[in-house]
Amino acid sequence: MASLRIQGFRLLGLLLLSLFAACQGNACQKDDENEVLYLLGLLQPLGDYWARLYYVDPLVIGDEENINFIREAQPSDVFSGQKKLILVSGWDTSDRSDVDYPTPNDLERRALVTKWNHLLKTTDYDNLLLDGYQVFIFDYLTSDSIALNGSRFRYWLDRTFGSVTSPEVIIYAHSMGGIVTRTALYLGSTPLYLRAALINGSPLHGSPWASPQYQESKSFLGTLASFLTQTDGGSDLRWDNFDSNISGASNPFLSELAAKTGRDNLIHLTYGDVDDGSSFDDSGTASAVMQTACAVLHPDGFRGDCIVPITSSQYSGVTNPNPTTDLGRYEHFQINWASSATRSALRTKINTL
């Protein structure tokens, strides 16, 4: 056994030496090195490395961009009897699964600043802390498949809250994050620690913008959407065609997930609805891109938040015992804590769960 172990270390050393020798004087790509290290079992798959649950220190309210106030969550961060709120963001169009491994500091900065600073810097966030919540953030590589990210989320949930036997955890998830959350909920047994999941503006039946059959008819916007959805995660957002509204469209992953309803009593749905396709409750912060998207989707019968039709965010055709909540005439990104009205409505909703 000892001789085999020595031979193994020698082989590993030779492989590493050959890699670094080949790089001398050449512009070796870091991702090539990462691939070799991954094959040698020295690196996690990028998506596993990326996916993490973070604990946010309450002191962050004094310095919302200071990554010293965010850290990888541990079971010791969980205070028994105190409410927990987990924030899960949606799809990031810039994510790709073939990039270099970011540093832990890079990932912490992304979670705290890029994804959630728009909420953390508001008095509504301060009020959530005053309401008694411990706050956590789950971040993940959105270009990976939703099935993988759902499994990763469930791993972190169980790892962190597995010893909690009373329902103290509330998940808030926006957009793709809602599908990741629902996927996690239906893995394993029903988690005792989960009180509720508030899923906001989630394309539970998918989005026409992610479907090739819809993209090809929409000129420049369709071409742009096609480029942005050329990842496993983006592809998972295709319209599942539950209503037969897009000829040839399908999404077996979402159709299979829709067939699972036994734990939907834990799920509460909110959404935005620009019901006439052009009038916004906060027109000053509605982006020009979203206004254009609404102007295209609405005439095609896909009324909603300009990205997700309400039939998708309401999960039409899927039984849910809880009433859905219309947040108002807001586009897809406005409903994600981005206006004072939606922040107030979401906080109120969370406190009633």
Side-chain angles (χ1 to χ4, degrees), residues 235-258:
S235 179
D236 281 343
L237 300 176
R238 300 186 316 273
W239 192 247
D240 67 6
N241 220 18
F242 79 102
D243 55 0
S244 303
N245 268 358
I246 301 178
S247 178
S250 66
N251 188 329
F253 168 72
L254 288 185
S255 295
E256 181 179 341
L257 187 59

Side-chain angles (χ1 to χ4, degrees), residues 30 36 50 87 92 99 144 152 191 202 218 266 274 311 328:
K30 187 175 179 182
V36 173
W50 197 298
L87 305 174
D92 188 326
V99 297
D144 273 5
R152 291 161 180 158
S202 185
K218 297 305 170 187
L266 294 168
V274 185
T311 53

